[in-house]
Amino acid sequence: EAQVTQNPRYLITVTGKKLTVTCSQNMNHEYMSWYRQDPGLGLRQIYYSMNVEVTDKGDVPEGYKVSRKEKRNFPLILESPSPNQTSLYFCASSPRVSRDTEAFFGQGTRLTVV
Amino acid sequence: EDQVTQSPEALRLQEGESSSLNCSYTVSGLRGLFWYRQDPGKGPEFLFTLYSAGEEKEKERLKATLTKKESFLHITAPKPEDSATYLCAVNPNSGYALNFGKGTSLLVTP
């Protein structure tokens, strides 16, 4: 089954404790991205990657890191999480970066930083 | 600056009562406009892509249209299972980001 898989689905952590949210897609998609979704603010892009070893900042990259060492994986790293990073996070992938491609989203990771 | 505005924020309909959701956008150039459906606690699910003014696409009770400044999602004779948040997003020519509106929360009551 074609899908984008995120882990974990739920995470509660303490301020400053490094964490990684994994994202994997099995569709051989070139383009992957991370979003956060907050009430009243909608979905905002954190980082995106157009292919292996090619990443760039989205609208809200502060406090996050990403890497794309393999085509299928695009982990999101929070080196020193803070309470304002409490949010619902989504990973997405698209076949390629062009006009006719829609994004497929993962099931989400609900992160709470206390 | 690219902007996507959806209205209304929330909409309550009776089953069978048709209506439209609006997505107005300001972008330097439009590569594509996307509609998604999102159920509570789940990731957005793709519905439609529109590329140029005048284009229309249909799927079951949903029909999406596009002009140079806005897109409409028409819902004909909705059912309770159509209740969800509907998101509009644009992919501008100027970059590779997908810019989302804040969504319209639709509730269809029996």
Side-chain angles (χ1 to χ4, degrees), chain A residues 4-111:
Chain A
V4 178
T5 303
Q6 295 178 227
N7 279 297
R9 292 290 312 278
Y10 302 92
L11 179 60
I12 301 174
T13 190
V14 296
T15 299
K17 186 177 181 181
K18 181 179 178 180
L19 67 91
T20 299
V21 184
T22 64
C23 174
S24 180
Q25 50 95 2
N26 62 359
M27 296 169 279
N28 200 37
H29 285 175
E30 290 182 353
Y31 185 89
M32 296 185 75
S33 57
W34 277 101
Y35 295 85
R36 62 178 289 173
Q37 188 173 37
D38 303 289
L41 296 177
L43 277 160
R44 295 178 293 168
Q45 191 175 54
I46 304 170
Y47 268 95
Y48 63 91
S49 169
M50 289 186 283
N51 215 322
V52 176
E53 302 292 1
V54 181
T55 64
D56 207 349
K57 296 177 181 178
D59 294 325
V60 288
E62 295 77 21
Y64 305 95
K65 283 177 57 178
V66 293
S67 68
R68 187 96 180 270
K69 293 184 170 55
E70 304 167 285
K71 199 170 187 179
R72 63 183 292 127
N73 296 322
F74 190 45
L76 179 69
I77 302 157
L78 284 71
E79 294 270 2
S80 182
S82 61
N84 64 12
Q85 292 178 298
T86 292
S87 187
L88 179 58
Y89 291 86
F90 289 102
C91 178
S93 73
S94 303
R96 55 197 175 277
V97 185
S98 66
R99 67 196 298 266
D100 58 352
T101 58
E102 74 274 18
F104 295 83
F105 283 81
Q107 67 273 52
T109 295
R110 186 168 293 281
L111 172 66

Side-chain angles (χ1 to χ4, degrees), chain B residues 72-109:
Chain B
F72 292 93
L73 185 66
H74 306 278
I75 303 177
T76 302
K79 298 182 178 182
E81 54 261 43
D82 295 322
S83 298
T85 295
Y86 290 85
L87 301 170
C88 170
V90 298
N91 186 356
N93 281 334
S94 58
Y96 299 99
L98 201 57
N99 299 325
F100 279 87
K102 295 179 182 178
T104 294
S105 176
L106 174 66
L107 176 64
V108 182
T109 58

